[in-house]
Amino acid sequence: MLNHGHYIMGPEVKELEDALAKYVGVKHVVSCANGTDALQLALMALDIGEGDAIFCPTFTFFATAEVVAYANATPVFVDSDERTFNICVGSLEKQILKVIEEGKLVPKAIISVDLFGLPANYIELEALAEKYNLKLIEDAAQGFGGSINGKKAGSFGDIATTSFFPAKPLGCYGDGGAIFTNDDKLAELVRSYRVHGKGTDKYDNIRIGLNSRLDTIQAAILLEKLAEFPTELENRNIAAENYTKTLSEKYITPFIPEGYYSSWAQYTVVCEDRDNEMQGYAEQGIPTMVYYRTCMHMQTAFKDLGYKEGDFPVAEKLSKQVFSLPMHGYL
Ligand SMILES: *Cc1c(COP(=O)(O)O)cnc(C)c1O
């Protein structure tokens, strides 16, 4: 890399995009600067904007909903499934029907999140998206490496995104992200939006875009890490099994439905006495973390949307009771 000197979007970037496409099993992969930009680029390619309702889980990382508001669309929050922690399909349909009934916003897309590494329920989500003519965006920032019946995270819905932030299942040594799709038109749009809305080249600008490229050094690192990734995933799954064997009497341990494979971005348990338990681990030098203490509908930045405590009881309960134990491929 230092020999060829193409520090941004060098040959390793294309090599990585090809390797990721092969790994996930999709036609197009477009790398970009981070997982938040990946989501934003997906929304831009789908032409999402003012007046559009975008359904997303309230129990997620802020970026999932932030990009919706940034695109001037309206995030419509959805409760969680008690067992998988992912978007609840029943609550989702209720919210879709509510938006249709109110008639103020146009239901446009669903952003589902593969929370803590477990793919969301794409069998039902894809059916629901079709029923209501909605686009489906998979936020696989945490889900990369997971699968349902062998079909990999990143291959669900109309378009999917991931993040290579160091703490994600496949992390680089800085920021990075990618977009996955089988749709030629969406891929072409994302490639243009990624580099200042380029046409034939970056000095021919045919739309308003972003500067969201991947550094070559990150691509080179990711290529090496991708080769080790299947082994790391196996190790994460062994570690998770051991955790569950040891801890299932004490806490509600993660539920992995039949046919699902988790990339274990986090190993997260539910416990009523969370603070006390976390204190106990801290005393033994074991770090624990809470993802996420505040649901999206309770975030200050979204207070104008008018949600209140009690709107999403499952997600709220999870935000008060979950904590995550150490998890990585060398545990
Ligand atoms: C980390 C994360 C993002 C954002 O990724 P960045 O690379 O940090 O911008 C988006 N969605 C979810 C669910 C995430 O966990």
Side-chain angles (χ1 to χ4, degrees):
M1 199 209 98
L2 294 174
N3 288 337
H4 64 55
H6 293 285
Y7 298 117
I8 297 169
M9 301 264 276
E12 286 83 353
V13 172
K14 176 77 174 69
E15 208 184 309
L16 174 71
E17 289 175 347
D18 292 346
L20 290 171
K22 192 161 164 244
Y23 179 83
V24 169
V26 292
K27 196 166 169 195
H28 304 284
V29 173
V30 184
S31 61
C32 65
N34 57 68
T36 308
D37 278 7
L39 282 168
Q40 191 179 340
L41 287 162
L43 296 189
M44 290 167 89
L46 290 168
D47 196 24
I48 282 160
E50 202 167 347
D52 293 335
I54 312 300
F55 303 88
C56 68
T58 188
F59 189 56
T60 181
F61 179 59
F62 189 64
T64 310
E66 180 182 32
V67 292
V68 175
Y70 198 79
N72 292 317
T74 304
V76 177
F77 296 121
V78 177
D79 209 351
S80 307
D81 181 283
E82 192 155 23
R83 295 217 290 170
T84 64
F85 311 154
N86 277 327
I87 192 166
C88 167
V89 177
S91 169
L92 172 59
E93 186 158 26
K94 257 192 231 157
Q95 292 296 69
I96 295 169
L97 290 171
K98 194 170 157 204
V99 167
I100 293 172
E101 196 189 322
E102 283 173 356
K104 288 186 205 138
L105 299 168
V106 180
K108 191 80 178 267
I110 302 161
I111 307 180
S112 54
V113 178
D114 303 336
L115 202 69
F116 306 146
L118 181 70
N121 183 351
Y122 289 104
I123 298 149
E124 289 185 34
L125 287 171
E126 285 177 348
L128 210 60
E130 193 172 353
K131 181 172 172 189
Y132 293 101
N133 195 26
L134 303 173
K135 296 292 180 195
L136 179 58
I137 303 161
E138 178 189 6
D139 179 352
Q142 300 178 21
F144 187 84
S147 59
I148 305 174
N149 297 324
K151 192 175 191 292
K152 288 240 168 56
S155 70
F156 297 103
D158 296 280
I159 193 162
T161 64
T162 200
S163 163
F164 303 122
F165 181 81
K168 309 287 179 177
L170 179 63
C172 59
Y173 293 175
D175 273 311
I179 296 114
F180 307 81
T181 186
N182 286 315
D183 185 312
D184 298 345
K185 187 85 210 324
L186 287 178
E188 189 195 321
L189 284 168
V190 168
R191 281 201 185 96
S192 167
Y193 281 125
R194 166 176 69 170
V195 182
H196 306 290
K198 76 182 174 77
T200 48
D201 63 52
K202 79 169 176 181
Y203 304 103
D204 170 34
N205 309 97
I206 56 176
R207 47 181 74 88
I208 301 299
L210 303 175
N211 169 15
S212 184
R213 300 165 301 211
L214 184 69
D215 285 345
T216 312
I217 192 162
Q218 301 304 344
I221 289 161
L222 283 166
L223 277 166
E224 294 302 319
K225 290 194 72 186
L226 186 61
E228 287 302 313
F229 189 59
T231 311
E232 289 191 10
L233 270 184
E234 272 175 45
N235 290 344
R236 282 172 181 262
N237 273 275
I238 292 166
E241 253 174 62
N242 287 334
Y243 269 145
T244 299
K245 260 187 244 153
T246 317
L247 300 175
S248 60
E249 305 268 288
K250 212 167 151 74
Y251 313 124
I252 299 172
T253 47
F255 169 69
I256 309 297
E258 185 71 34
Y260 283 63
Y261 188 74
S262 178
S263 61
W264 296 106
Q266 303 294 339
Y267 185 91
T268 303
V269 297
V270 185
C271 166
E272 277 178 35
D273 195 12
R274 170 172 79 186
D275 292 346
N276 204 22
E277 288 297 312
M278 289 175 72
Q279 180 63 34
Y281 286 105
E283 279 161 15
Q284 295 177 69
I286 299 165
T288 56
M289 286 287 283
V290 174
Y291 307 102
Y292 297 95
R293 240 175 237 285
T294 309
C295 290
M296 291 307 106
H297 71 284
M298 298 308 290
Q299 289 284 4
T300 308
F302 289 128
K303 69 176 187 308
D304 292 348
L305 294 173
Y307 291 94
K308 59 184 188 314
E309 186 146 18
D311 283 345
F312 303 107
V314 176
E316 287 169 22
K317 184 173 156 238
L318 292 174
S319 71
K320 291 185 181 85
Q321 298 187 351
V322 293
F323 71 95
S324 303
L325 288 154
M327 174 52 78
H328 54 78
Y330 301 90
L331 200 59

